[in-house]
Amino acid sequence: MNHRITTALATIAALSAGAATAQDYSLNLSTSQTLQDPLVIAMQGAEERIEERSEGRMEVTIYPSSQLGEDNDVLEQIRAGAPIAALVDAGRLAPFLPELGILAAPYLVNDYTEYAAITESPVYEEWVEELAEQSGIRLLNYNWFQGTRQMFTQDKVETPEDLNGVRVRTIDAPGWVATVEAMGATPAPMAWSEVYSALQLGAVDGAEAQLTGAYGIKLHEVSNNVAFTNHIQLFTGLATSESWFAALPEDLQAIVTEELKAAGEEATRETVAKLAEVQGEMEAAGVAFNEVDIAPFRDRVDVVYEKVGLVEAREALAPYLPSAD
């Protein structure tokens, strides 16, 4: 266990011990997004409702902007039993259960609304239970829509060829790295908190990101162009410790599950409502937006499913994908 994880675990233990005199249980919500992001605002609503419904038996604390550590480190804290629920994409969960990587696969669906059929399917529910059993990570939900991933670059991108030699920041997970590479760029995985400075200093030439998240860390100050590649509909979910969750009384399990699912639905609505506003703000700051022909990008990334072993997972989900209609 590395020093960062050990330190963070000690911090959580201290927080939990200090809170024990005031309530029976504590839950710490972790996300890389900023306080102003619709996801964090939705978490704040869930915090109030959980504490109210539990009649003070559970205290919820929100840690935005990766205050508890980067997502991969926080997942290790969770596996060690820390009372944390981290908002993560399925790509980060794929090392523990490869099939889950399909949820962050490129061009899996045409629109964010098509994800509900997947996450309400028996196939998905079976994967959730396998993840809990094999890794100690309980995926509470997967309904937090963060937006559609687009390409933020210095120069205009219209075709995959325009990405040749362009170093693009992406999430540090195999599926994401393979997607960016297949689209034509050179993937540069790094922490979200480092993206602004990397672009500012020229360590990377671009980043693939959703509009609300990018606006939250002011990528419009260090990027000139956004290409609507729409390569991934970015949903995320709250992952927590299976041992911690299983030890909760049944009524608290129900409260946590219900309120965090409702918060995900709220976050999705608010994210969608904010997209036009965010784009307008970025355009006012001088960022140019352009539509692209998605077909060449879609054709290129089909190899990702084979490269990261998601062919069988896609076949298992076939009845719930739009192509099956």
Side-chain angles (χ1 to χ4, degrees), residues 187-209:
M190 67 176 64
W192 183 240
S193 59
E194 299 172 2
V195 180
Y196 183 99
S197 59
L199 278 165
Q200 187 178 43
L201 297 173
V204 295
D205 309 304
E208 52 92 27

Side-chain angles (χ1 to χ4, degrees), residues 23-286:
Q23 71 290 307
D24 299 326
Y25 302 93
S26 64
L27 172 61
N28 303 287
L29 298 178
S30 174
T31 176
S32 62
Q33 302 306 312
T34 62
L35 271 173
Q36 297 75 27
D37 194 274
L39 282 75
V40 178
I41 294 171
M43 283 184 177
Q44 292 169 344
E47 173 187 5
E48 294 178 5
R49 294 190 298 271
I50 290 172
E51 292 181 348
E52 180 179 353
R53 287 184 61 188
S54 70
E55 298 179 338
R57 293 161 60 207
M58 177 171 286
E59 180 181 63
V60 179
T61 306
I62 301 168
Y63 291 90
S65 303
S66 301
Q67 291 177 6
L68 292 182
E70 299 303 329
D71 291 340
N72 288 336
D73 290 339
V74 176
L75 284 174
E76 289 306 314
Q77 297 173 45
I78 286 170
R79 295 186 73 199
I84 305 172
L87 196 61
V88 295
D89 74 279
R92 297 191 189 279
L93 298 174
F96 306 107
L97 188 74
E99 292 89 341
L100 281 174
I102 193 74
L103 300 178
Y107 299 110
L108 180 67
V109 297
N110 302 308
D111 182 82
Y112 77 96
T113 60
E114 295 171 340
Y115 257 82
I118 296 172
T119 55
E120 292 171 4
S121 72
V123 174
Y124 166 81
E125 300 208 352
E126 182 179 333
W127 290 341
V128 169
E129 294 307 318
E130 288 181 16
L131 176 70
E133 181 179 346
Q134 295 178 21
S135 71
I137 297 173
R138 164 65 57 179
L139 190 55
L140 295 171
N141 51 53
Y142 203 78
N143 65 334
W144 298 66
F145 181 55
Q146 294 195 22
T148 307
R149 300 291 272 206
Q150 318 293 1
M151 279 290 175
F152 286 71
T153 54
Q154 305 302 355
D155 299 320
K156 187 175 183 179
V157 171
E158 295 182 291
T159 68
E161 287 71 28
D162 293 330
L163 287 172
N164 287 343
V166 179
R167 285 178 52 81
V168 172
R169 181 272 170 182
T170 188
I171 291 173
D172 187 10
W176 290 87
V177 171
T179 295
V180 170
E181 186 173 41
M183 290 177 74
T186 300
M190 67 176 64
W192 183 240
S193 59
E194 299 172 2
V195 180
Y196 183 99
S197 59
L199 278 165
Q200 187 178 43
L201 297 173
V204 295
D205 309 304
E208 52 92 27
Q210 69 279 10
L211 296 190
T212 51
Y215 183 74
I217 63 168
K218 304 183 186 300
L219 287 195
H220 53 285
E221 295 180 351
V222 288
S223 297
N224 299 320
N225 187 84
V226 176
F228 284 120
T229 49
N230 298 326
H231 49 283
I232 293 176
Q233 304 289 331
L234 180 58
F235 268 89
T236 49
L238 281 167
T240 194
S241 164
E242 169 67 358
S243 60
W244 172 82
F245 185 75
L248 289 179
E250 288 187 6
D251 64 324
L252 290 185
Q253 287 184 356
I255 290 170
V256 167
T257 301
E258 292 166 8
E259 294 302 340
L260 292 180
K261 180 180 180 181
E265 293 169 354
E266 177 188 348
T268 294
R269 290 192 299 269
E270 293 304 314
T271 293
V272 173
K274 200 172 180 65
L275 290 176
E277 174 189 340
V278 167
Q279 181 175 339
E281 294 284 349
M282 288 184 171
E283 287 175 332

